Amino acid sequence: MVSFGDPGMVLKAFFPTCCAAADSGLLVGRWVPEQSSAVVLAVVHFPFIPSQVKEFLAQVQQTSQVGVAVLGTWCHRRQEPEDNLGHFLEGLSAIFSHEPWLQLCREKGSTFWSCKATRWQGSTSPGAPSEDQVMIVFYDQRKVLLSQLHPPAILPDQETGDAAAGAVGLAAVFHTVARSEVLFRSDRFDEGPVRLSHWQSDGVEASILVELAKWASGPICLLLASLLSLVSAVSACWLFKLWPLPFIWSKLSTCEQLRYRLEQLTLIFSPQKAENPSQRMRKANMCVSVLLDVALGLTLLSWLHGKGRIEQLADALVPVADRVAEELQHLLQWLMGAPAGLKMNRALDQVLGRFFLYHIHLWISYIHLMSPFIERIVWHVGLSACLGLTVSLSILSDIIALLTFHIYCFYVYGARLYCLKICGLSSLWRLFRGKKWNVLRQRVDSCSYDLDQLFIGTLLFTILVFLLPTTALYYLVFTLLRLLVITVQGLIHLLVDLINSLPLYALGLRLCRPYRLAAGVKFRVLEQEAGRPLRLLMQINPLSYGRVVHTYRLPRYGCHPTHSWGSLCRKLFFGELIYPWRQREDKQD
């Protein structure tokens, strides 16, 4: 990395490679005094009228808000050197006064460049100009214009003055080229009195299809924005806010995914123009994410409606549900006996086993009652794939939650009963130690108990201790089943989050046009000889794929409650319920 922080040593002239073969003329660009750098943007060719050049630069400066000026002269001697041309170019410094005045010259048929930077102010002898040493840095004007420079990730102990000055100097160069886009509209200025050379000198890069798409995008966005606003108004109707509809919708992944897609489409088709490159990149990432989601959904839809797969899935759903219920019945019958040779409390074991068997019987009856409508339900679920693969996956997650609702009920019953016994045992254990829980102060205080209280506490403690193994075994089995269901739903939600939040457009730019996302630059030495100016080539370093994902990752529409391994084990040990539902207040920006 070349330092930009010491302006007193070397003057740096950033010269576009597209102007290396341009005819002689004036160097137009911006002077950065803090970094002692001159950013050349274009070359004004002969013939020209100085007053028209000044008027043209004033218009460009007013439009782009960049201090564009004539920095010096450029001489490309395609024929034998002529003294008249040299004297004429030197005389232009009196018309376009600038400090310092650059004089770049390239000899015919050779790689030799001569560079001068003349100053009249600050010279040692009055009236005699002084010259600074010049370093020429070539850069690709098109790549620098289209690229977006990201600040480097500098550790706290690496924040030195040279690194900070280098980052500021690079930012000034990229900012100057990006804000001077009006100067590169050659179709406007080539017909006028001023003729320029820059990266678009051969013609503006455009397409008739692109221009038609830009012309038609305005009315289409207005129409779609109106339709989306109508859908948002209908969804906000007071009928949909009656209890318990908001509670149910907040627990369904499908409703959350549809709400998230509605917000994305509203932002994509908003007629308001993006104010900065970050907002444009976010819109592009959302657009590509939605298109990929719909494409995957249509692929799934075509697969489901081919070769009668919907009928096959509908016919296999009821036998699978019967098979799961049968396995649960066998599991409960095993628990009602002597599981793994453990001696359980016979009365409590029979009560719990019959209670859960009755729930399974009710669930099987419900499944068989719904069996005539299963094919139509599966058909509508498959049709929802036209809204996107994520919608189908969210519906699949909700269907799994409904089909395993009896397992969730078993888990809740077992967890509540187990938690009640754990709390009772902890309270009775404090009774034996002469302690009690102070509800007002939220702490454990000393307390004296009489003989009757100690006797009843001992009796209850003994009963709970002997009933705890049976309850703990049921709680353990149903917790493992519940964790299995949560794992399957978690994998589905992980895939949905991956499609929703992955910045596909940014990754495509990094793959196809890596210079668009710049993490910095590197310099390659082109010529370094004594008595000749140092010439460097500035090349763009692209962002790494990991940093692209971290920088442009889209906000997620919800998240699971984050639990550390310690807090998760604590909740499982004390019988606290673990809810994997998505909460609206957990949204991440």
Side-chain angles (χ1 to χ4, degrees):
M1 181 66 67
V2 177
S3 173
F4 291 86
D6 192 356
M9 297 181 60
V10 180
L11 187 149
K12 294 163 282 293
F14 289 86
F15 192 83
T17 54
C18 57
C19 296
D23 295 335
S24 302
L26 298 175
L27 297 176
V28 176
R30 177 194 175 196
W31 171 251
V32 185
E34 297 83 3
Q35 307 299 329
S36 187
S37 303
V39 183
V40 179
L41 299 173
V43 176
V44 178
H45 298 299
F46 300 109
F48 57 81
I49 301 175
S51 60
Q52 293 180 344
V53 173
K54 292 181 179 180
E55 182 180 358
F56 164 71
L57 295 180
Q59 295 177 358
V60 173
Q61 183 174 356
Q62 183 180 3
T63 305
S64 62
Q65 301 298 321
V66 176
V68 180
V70 177
L71 304 178
T73 58
W74 159 251
C75 179
H76 190 179
R77 291 170 177 163
R78 300 178 182 274
Q79 300 175 354
E80 293 298 328
E82 299 179 3
D83 295 336
N84 294 334
L85 178 61
H87 291 305
F88 175 73
L89 293 176
E90 291 179 359
L92 291 175
S93 60
I95 302 176
F96 304 97
S97 58
H98 187 272
E99 289 284 339
W101 182 258
L102 297 178
Q103 291 177 315
L104 302 183
C105 183
R106 180 181 180 182
E107 297 296 339
K108 175 191 174 183
S110 66
T111 60
F112 176 74
W113 287 60
S114 62
C115 306
K116 294 181 181 179
T118 307
R119 297 177 183 267
W120 284 270
Q121 299 179 2
S123 178
T124 55
S125 58
S130 62
E131 295 184 1
D132 293 342
Q133 185 179 358
V134 181
M135 178 175 62
I136 304 177
V137 181
F138 296 95
Y139 71 97
D140 192 325
Q141 203 168 55
R142 177 177 178 271
K143 291 183 178 180
V144 173
L145 174 67
L146 298 178
S147 63
Q148 182 178 353
L149 181 65
H150 296 74
I154 304 177
L155 299 177
D157 55 350
Q158 296 177 344
E159 292 181 356
T160 60
D162 292 341
V168 172
L170 290 177
V173 174
F174 278 74
H175 175 76
T176 299
V177 179
R179 294 294 298 273
S180 303
E181 187 177 1
V182 64
L183 187 66
F184 305 137
R185 298 175 183 173
S186 56
D187 57 341
R188 171 184 173 184
F189 298 123
D190 283 348
E191 299 176 358
V194 179
R195 188 170 63 91
L196 302 174
S197 281
H198 44 72
W199 71 280
Q200 280 192 334
S201 299
D202 296 333
V204 179
E205 295 183 359
S207 172
I208 184 63
L209 297 179
V210 175
E211 296 299 327
L212 289 176
K214 290 181 179 179
W215 178 80
S217 61
I220 293 177
C221 287
L222 287 176
L223 177 61
L224 294 177
S226 301
L227 294 177
L228 292 174
S229 61
L230 180 61
V231 173
S232 300
V234 172
S235 62
C237 181
W238 64 273
L239 291 176
F240 298 100
K241 296 182 180 179
L242 297 177
W243 193 88
L245 293 180
F247 175 78
I248 296 176
W249 291 347
S250 64
K251 308 307 177 187
L252 294 179
S253 300
T254 305
C255 296
E256 291 293 328
Q257 176 62 24
L258 290 176
R259 186 182 298 110
Y260 177 71
R261 279 302 182 209
L262 181 60
E263 294 176 358
Q264 278 193 327
L265 293 175
T266 303
L267 180 60
I268 290 174
F269 296 110
S270 174
Q272 184 178 2
K273 188 177 180 181
E275 298 179 355
N276 49 55
S278 299
Q279 293 182 358
R280 289 194 293 269
M281 184 68 71
R282 183 183 178 185
K283 271 191 173 184
N285 286 325
M286 285 185 179
C287 185
V288 174
S289 176
V290 172
L291 291 178
L292 178 65
D293 187 20
V294 174
L296 294 177
L298 293 177
T299 303
L300 176 62
L301 182 63
S302 62
W303 180 83
L304 286 176
H305 286 271
K307 299 182 180 180
R309 291 188 176 90
I310 290 183
E311 292 79 5
Q312 298 175 5
L313 290 176
D315 295 338
L317 190 58
V318 175
V320 169
D322 292 338
R323 179 66 177 175
V324 172
E326 183 180 354
E327 293 296 332
L328 284 176
Q329 287 178 343
H330 291 329
L331 178 62
L332 287 173
Q333 291 173 359
W334 177 72
L335 291 176
M336 292 171 64
L342 298 176
K343 185 173 179 60
M344 313 296 291
N345 185 280
R346 183 67 178 175
L348 180 61
D349 196 9
Q350 293 295 321
V351 170
L352 292 178
R354 292 175 181 176
F355 176 74
F356 292 135
L357 284 174
Y358 180 69
H359 275 71
I360 293 177
H361 175 70
L362 292 178
W363 186 253
I364 293 176
S365 302
Y366 172 73
I367 291 296
H368 285 279
L369 183 64
M370 294 293 296
S371 58
F373 310 99
I374 289 180
E375 182 176 352
R376 185 170 296 275
I377 293 175
V378 174
W379 187 86
H380 284 90
V381 171
L383 188 62
S384 67
C386 62
L387 299 177
L389 180 62
T390 55
V391 176
S392 300
L393 292 176
S394 300
I395 294 177
L396 177 62
S397 177
D398 293 334
I399 291 177
I400 292 175
L402 292 175
L403 292 179
T404 59
F405 184 71
H406 53 306
I407 296 178
Y408 173 73
C409 293
F410 296 163
Y411 165 70
V412 173
Y413 296 152
R416 290 304 186 190
L417 187 58
Y418 174 79
C419 182
L420 179 62
K421 292 189 176 182
I422 291 295
C423 293
L425 288 174
S426 62
S427 299
L428 294 174
W429 178 249
R430 286 194 294 266
L431 181 143
F432 296 149
R433 295 184 294 126
K435 304 287 185 180
K436 72 170 184 178
W437 175 255
N438 192 330
V439 180
L440 296 178
R441 299 187 177 182
Q442 295 294 311
R443 68 182 186 184
V444 177
D445 294 336
S446 300
C447 181
S448 59
Y449 298 95
D450 55 19
L451 186 59
D452 294 338
Q453 291 174 332
L454 292 175
F455 175 75
I456 296 176
T458 303
L459 181 62
L460 293 176
F461 185 82
T462 305
I463 294 174
L464 292 179
V465 166
F466 283 103
L467 294 180
L468 181 63
T470 303
T471 307
L473 182 61
Y474 276 87
Y475 168 69
L476 176 63
V477 172
F478 294 134
T479 300
L480 293 178
L481 292 176
R482 179 60 182 165
L483 290 178
L484 178 61
V485 175
I486 290 177
T487 302
V488 174
Q489 289 183 298
L491 293 176
I492 296 176
H493 292 159
L494 184 63
L495 181 58
V496 172
D497 288 339
L498 184 64
I499 298 176
N500 285 333
S501 61
L502 199 63
L504 299 174
Y505 179 77
L507 290 175
L509 281 183
R510 175 60 181 85
L511 179 64
C512 301
R513 295 184 177 182
Y515 61 86
R516 293 289 300 272
L517 305 176
V521 299
K522 60 182 178 181
F523 296 90
R524 183 166 61 90
V525 178
L526 297 179
E527 182 181 14
Q528 186 177 11
E529 297 182 11
R532 295 186 179 183
L534 176 63
R535 289 194 295 156
L536 304 175
L537 177 63
M538 185 177 74
Q539 299 174 335
I540 296 177
N541 280 332
L543 282 176
S544 62
Y545 286 98
R547 193 175 172 194
V548 169
V549 174
H550 177 73
T551 304
Y552 294 105
R553 190 179 185 91
L554 294 173
R556 308 163 85 177
Y557 72 91
C559 63
H560 294 300
T562 55
H563 297 291
S564 62
W565 288 106
S567 63
L568 181 61
C569 293
R570 178 185 175 277
K571 288 178 178 291
L572 294 176
F573 180 78
F574 288 101
E576 299 180 16
L577 295 181
I578 301 175
Y579 296 103
W581 294 329
R582 297 177 177 272
Q583 304 292 339
R584 295 185 61 184
E585 60 270 16
D586 293 336
K587 287 184 179 181
Q588 296 179 356
D589 295 332

